Amino acid sequence: MYKRQRHAVGVTLGYETNYGPSGRVFYERRNLFGHAELLRVEAEVSRIGAGGGTQNVNSRLGASLRRPGMIDGRTTMVLEAAALRERLDAYDRDAIIATALLERPIGDRWQVRGGPTFETGRIGRDGDLQPFTLLGLVTGVRYDSTTSLLDPRSGIRVDAAVTPFADLAEGGGFVRAVGTARTYLDLTGDGGSVLALRASLGSLFDAAREVPLDKRFYAGGGGSVRGYDYQGIGPRDARDRPLGGLSLVEGSVELRQRVSGSFGIVAFVDAGSVGTSSAPEFSDVRVGAGLGLRYATTIGPLRLDVGVPLNRQPGDSGYGIYVGLGQAF
């Protein structure tokens, strides 16, 4: 018998120093056709305080449908579509994205996924947006032995994907590979002190032509290297704007300490580098460090982090403040 509520509505709010508040609202309809489907529709807006009125506001409207029990009874079909508008320091993009994936568990902790993805729209800088159309094939794997999605205290989580893209507009193509591993160590056995570690690697291969700006790698900001501007780490042009790179290496160490009741504190160090070749580069690693507060709720911890860049470049901000729901990683 299907016992969960069929309808759900939620709101997520966030804040980052340089770009102001962000928000997301979603609606979910469970068991849509009577086979445990999940329909989710969401709208997101960010960079509200980035300056320039509404010109620099980012937005996204998307929908997804999950249909479990396909093929052999264990495979889930995931259909996603979204329309988005991005106005970033690195690029401007208006795009429509559609993806059709199949996900299948292997045992209790492994999952594999794969399927086509299609993107079309315009991308560029300074208002000069050029049309693009990409067709890709997503292949990915995930391993998860953690205890919680939003507040893990032990276990390991690994997510890796390799996606070959064909450029239908200009010809040629490239392969984008990225992987992230996280591990959580419960130092006291009761979740009072948790050591969290994260490492990410990314590379672009076989780029016969210029890789679209949004598929390049960037680092900096919340969820990356805190204390630095979003996408602020890596190669820059003559106007000090991010160019992105062909490789990425990132790492984080975070000590999470419960203080009293629902309150906790964290200390963290993040590091990252963006390279101009497909092989990860370590010659220009940027490091950020800081402290944060946590307040535990039934849906995950509320997070407030303050980070500072330890070896910033000219033009970098002196600190960053990040507010959100759930741990940083």
Side-chain angles (χ1 to χ4, degrees), residues 142-296:
R142 180 181 176 88
Y143 173 86
D144 195 346
S145 65
T146 59
T147 54
S148 169
L149 179 63
L150 292 177
D151 191 16
R153 298 179 179 179
S154 63
I156 298 172
R157 184 178 296 157
V158 179
D159 202 326
V162 177
T163 306
F165 284 97
D167 190 331
L168 302 184
E170 300 291 336
F174 58 94
V175 178
R176 194 176 196 270
V178 62
T180 299
R182 306 173 181 90
T183 186
Y184 308 90
L185 306 175
D186 189 347
L187 303 180
T188 57
D190 61 357
S193 297
V194 175
L195 181 65
L197 308 173
R198 176 185 68 94
S200 295
L201 289 174
S203 289
L204 287 166
F205 302 99
D206 299 329
R209 294 176 179 268
E210 186 76 9
V211 176
L213 291 170
D214 67 298
K215 295 299 182 289
R216 289 173 165 262
F217 290 105
Y218 303 87
S224 177
V225 183
R226 287 163 285 186
Y228 291 83
D229 294 339
Y230 178 67
Q231 297 182 335
I233 295 175
R236 301 182 181 184
D237 66 10
R239 295 173 55 183
D240 211 32
R241 299 176 301 182
L243 285 172
L246 301 183
S247 63
L248 168 73
V249 57
E250 284 184 348
S252 295
V253 179
E254 186 168 279
L255 179 62
R256 303 167 182 172
Q257 177 65 50
R258 185 169 61 230
V259 176
S260 177
S262 298
F263 288 93
I265 59 174
V266 303
F268 61 84
V269 176
D270 301 330
S273 175
V274 175
T276 56
S277 66
S278 295
E281 299 178 8
F282 300 89
S283 59
D284 191 25
V285 176
R286 299 291 160 177
V287 182
L291 299 172
L293 296 175
R294 301 291 186 269
Y295 180 78

Side-chain angles (χ1 to χ4, degrees), residues 290-325:
L291 299 172
L293 296 175
R294 301 291 186 269
Y295 180 78
T297 72
T298 57
I299 58 174
L302 294 175
R303 171 171 52 93
L304 170 63
D305 290 336
V306 180
V308 296
L310 300 186
N311 56 336
R312 60 177 176 164
Q313 303 174 92
D316 286 340
S317 300
Y319 65 94
I321 300 175
Y322 313 92
V323 178
L325 177 65

Side-chain angles (χ1 to χ4, degrees), residues 13-240:
L13 300 175
Y15 177 83
E16 189 168 342
T17 312
N18 297 327
Y19 305 117
S22 62
R24 177 188 297 121
V25 59
F26 70 86
Y27 166 78
E28 288 184 350
R29 171 69 183 271
R30 302 184 179 96
N31 204 31
L32 181 63
F33 302 117
H35 299 284
E37 300 91 350
L38 174 62
L39 173 68
R40 181 184 177 102
V41 180
E42 64 180 22
E44 179 179 1
V45 62
S46 61
R47 292 174 66 98
I48 299 173
T54 60
Q55 295 181 359
N56 293 323
V57 172
N58 291 354
S59 59
R60 181 182 184 275
L61 178 63
S64 65
L65 176 66
R66 299 182 64 88
R67 169 60 161 91
M70 301 289 290
I71 305 176
D72 57 358
R74 300 189 62 198
T75 301
T76 298
M77 179 180 66
V78 183
L79 304 177
E80 296 182 336
L84 57 87
R85 177 185 190 270
E86 293 179 316
R87 295 297 182 268
L88 306 174
D89 294 339
Y91 57 84
D92 300 332
R93 180 170 71 135
D94 299 322
I96 296 175
I97 302 172
T99 303
L101 300 181
L102 294 178
E103 298 178 347
R104 190 184 192 282
I106 301 177
D108 295 331
R109 296 178 176 177
W110 288 93
Q111 181 193 78
V112 294
R113 65 185 182 276
T117 180
F118 175 80
E119 303 182 22
T120 188
R122 302 184 305 148
I123 190 168
R125 293 185 174 201
D126 302 324
D128 182 19
L129 275 62
Q130 301 298 319
F132 74 93
T133 301
L134 298 176
L135 179 63
L137 180 62
V138 178
T139 56
V141 62
R142 180 181 176 88
Y143 173 86
D144 195 346
S145 65
T146 59
T147 54
S148 169
L149 179 63
L150 292 177
D151 191 16
R153 298 179 179 179
S154 63
I156 298 172
R157 184 178 296 157
V158 179
D159 202 326
V162 177
T163 306
F165 284 97
D167 190 331
L168 302 184
E170 300 291 336
F174 58 94
V175 178
R176 194 176 196 270
V178 62
T180 299
R182 306 173 181 90
T183 186
Y184 308 90
L185 306 175
D186 189 347
L187 303 180
T188 57
D190 61 357
S193 297
V194 175
L195 181 65
L197 308 173
R198 176 185 68 94
S200 295
L201 289 174
S203 289
L204 287 166
F205 302 99
D206 299 329
R209 294 176 179 268
E210 186 76 9
V211 176
L213 291 170
D214 67 298
K215 295 299 182 289
R216 289 173 165 262
F217 290 105
Y218 303 87
S224 177
V225 183
R226 287 163 285 186
Y228 291 83
D229 294 339
Y230 178 67
Q231 297 182 335
I233 295 175
R236 301 182 181 184
D237 66 10
R239 295 173 55 183
D240 211 32

